[in-house]
């Protein structure tokens, strides 16, 4: 079997993509035993740690199952169901993504209520600038996360800030994945910007319940975009 050497960043994702490609091309099928970690590392031209990360991701996606002492086997999996780029967040277990979205709803809806009550003029300037940055940077995941971070900062609750920061990596990854889907059309891009602007306006006008409503609508929109992977 021929393998393509891996040279780009996030090598384990490229390994996963190649294995899924082999499944789609019927070069691998349910029940097949994969080579050992050492052999796969040699074939792909990567380190053993990269192969371990890839196998962990494949296991989380339900594509392989590992039998200790026996090896790694291809599960009964429909490879054609994967049609979008495979990124870090989508390699999380479905339960992890669902729980993350549940946590975001609890944490950020509460935070935006407080932000609408306690925000200062400086807070408003920073949040407004975050929206400008999102537009300038084509709604990239870091500027989007910064918008949500500033809202939580405006709540004046340090514990909420610490909680948000503890899930920041997962948030950024899921934001990126959701945006890859949402931003396929210009109309969706405008809707996403509008969602953020409505949240900002409610905070500016000191309307905590309205801000909470807009935030939950926004998060449900993000969750809906990820639904093919978490339902």
């Amino acid at each position: 079997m021929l393998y393509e050497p891996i040279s780009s960043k996030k090598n384990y994702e490229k390994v996963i993509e190649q294995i899924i490609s082999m499944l789609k091309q019927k070069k691998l099928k349910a029940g097949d035993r994969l080579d050992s970690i050492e052999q796969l590392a040699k074939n792909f031209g990567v380190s053993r740690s990269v192969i371990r990360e890839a196998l962990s991701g494949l296991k989380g996606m339900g594509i392989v199952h590992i039998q200790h002492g026996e090896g790694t086997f291809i599960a009964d999996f429909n490879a054609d169901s994967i049609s979008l780029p495979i990124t870090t967040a989508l390699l999380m277990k479905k339960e992890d993504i669902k729980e993350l979205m549940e946590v975001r709803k609890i944490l950020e809806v509460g935070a935006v209520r407080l932000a609408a009550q306690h925000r200062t003029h400086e807070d408003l300037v920073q949040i407004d600038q975050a929206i400008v940055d999102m537009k300038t940077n084509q709604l990239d995941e870091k500027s989007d996360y910064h918008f949500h971070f500033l809202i939580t900062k405006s709540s004046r609750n340090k514990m909420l800030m610490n909680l948000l920061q503890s899930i920041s990596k997962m948030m950024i990854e899921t934001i990126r994945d959701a945006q890859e889907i949402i931003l396929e059309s210009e109309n969706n891009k405008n809707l996403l910007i509008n969602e953020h602007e409505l949240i900002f306006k409610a905070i500016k006008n000191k309307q905590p319940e309205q801000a909470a409503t807009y935030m939950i609508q926004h998060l449900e929109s993000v969750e809906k975009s990820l639904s093919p992977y978490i339902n």
Side-chain angles (χ1 to χ4, degrees):
M1 188 175 297
L2 296 176
Y3 297 85
E4 297 177 15
I6 304 297
S7 58
S8 62
K9 294 181 179 179
K10 296 188 178 179
N11 291 341
Y12 72 95
E13 293 179 9
K14 296 295 184 180
V15 171
I16 289 173
E17 288 174 355
Q18 281 202 42
I19 289 176
I20 290 177
S21 178
M22 291 175 188
L23 281 164
K24 289 182 176 182
Q25 297 171 34
K26 312 301 181 184
K27 293 179 180 179
L28 287 172
K29 60 183 183 301
D32 283 353
R33 181 180 182 276
L34 295 180
D35 293 329
S36 66
I37 290 177
E38 290 75 13
Q39 188 60 49
L40 286 171
K42 182 179 179 180
N43 291 338
F44 283 112
V46 297
S47 67
R48 286 178 292 180
S49 63
V50 167
I51 297 299
R52 290 191 186 96
E53 283 187 272
L55 293 180
S56 177
L58 288 165
K59 181 181 177 183
M61 296 171 74
I63 296 174
V64 303
H65 58 89
I66 301 172
Q67 297 181 14
H68 295 291
E70 297 293 330
T72 303
F73 297 84
I74 299 295
D76 187 7
F77 176 80
N78 179 15
D80 292 331
S81 64
I82 296 293
S83 58
L84 295 170
I86 301 168
T87 51
T88 308
L90 296 184
L91 300 182
M92 300 176 195
K93 291 182 179 179
K94 293 180 180 180
E95 293 80 6
D96 291 340
I97 299 176
K98 284 183 178 179
E99 289 181 2
L100 173 64
M101 294 311 300
E102 288 171 354
V103 169
R104 288 193 65 183
K105 288 176 186 176
I106 295 169
L107 192 158
E108 294 192 68
V109 173
V112 81
R113 280 196 183 97
L114 292 175
Q117 297 172 50
H118 304 304
R119 94 295 184 280
T120 64
H121 175 70
E122 183 181 356
D123 292 328
L124 294 177
V125 171
Q126 291 179 346
I127 297 171
D128 188 35
Q129 182 59 48
I131 295 176
V132 173
D133 292 341
M134 278 191 283
K135 294 176 180 178
T136 303
N137 298 320
Q138 298 299 310
L139 283 163
D140 74 292
E141 63 274 11
K142 291 185 179 179
S143 57
D144 193 323
Y145 168 77
H146 189 55
F147 170 84
H148 291 271
F149 170 78
L150 289 172
I151 288 175
T152 305
K153 177 173 174 285
S154 302
S155 74
R156 296 294 179 270
N157 187 305
K158 292 181 180 179
M159 191 169 291
L160 281 176
M161 283 185 61
N162 289 336
L163 287 170
L164 187 77
Q165 289 176 311
S166 72
I167 61 171
S168 61
K169 183 178 179 180
M170 290 179 68
M171 272 185 64
I172 290 171
E173 290 167 353
T174 53
I175 287 170
R176 181 186 64 219
D177 290 328
Q179 287 179 349
E180 284 186 1
I181 302 167
I182 294 170
L183 301 183
E184 288 180 351
S185 76
E186 190 67 24
N187 185 51
N188 285 343
K189 177 181 176 180
N190 293 333
L191 287 174
L192 193 57
I193 287 290
N194 186 57
E195 288 175 359
H196 289 91
E197 289 179 332
L198 286 173
I199 293 169
F200 171 65
K201 184 177 179 180
I203 294 172
K204 183 178 181 179
N205 293 336
K206 292 197 170 185
Q207 298 172 313
E209 292 309 313
Q210 190 65 64
T213 296
Y214 288 141
M215 179 63 79
I216 195 69
Q217 288 174 351
H218 169 59
L219 294 176
E220 286 177 349
S221 176
V222 172
E223 188 173 30
K224 183 178 179 180
S225 70
L226 292 168
S227 62
Y229 298 93
I230 63 178
N231 292 327

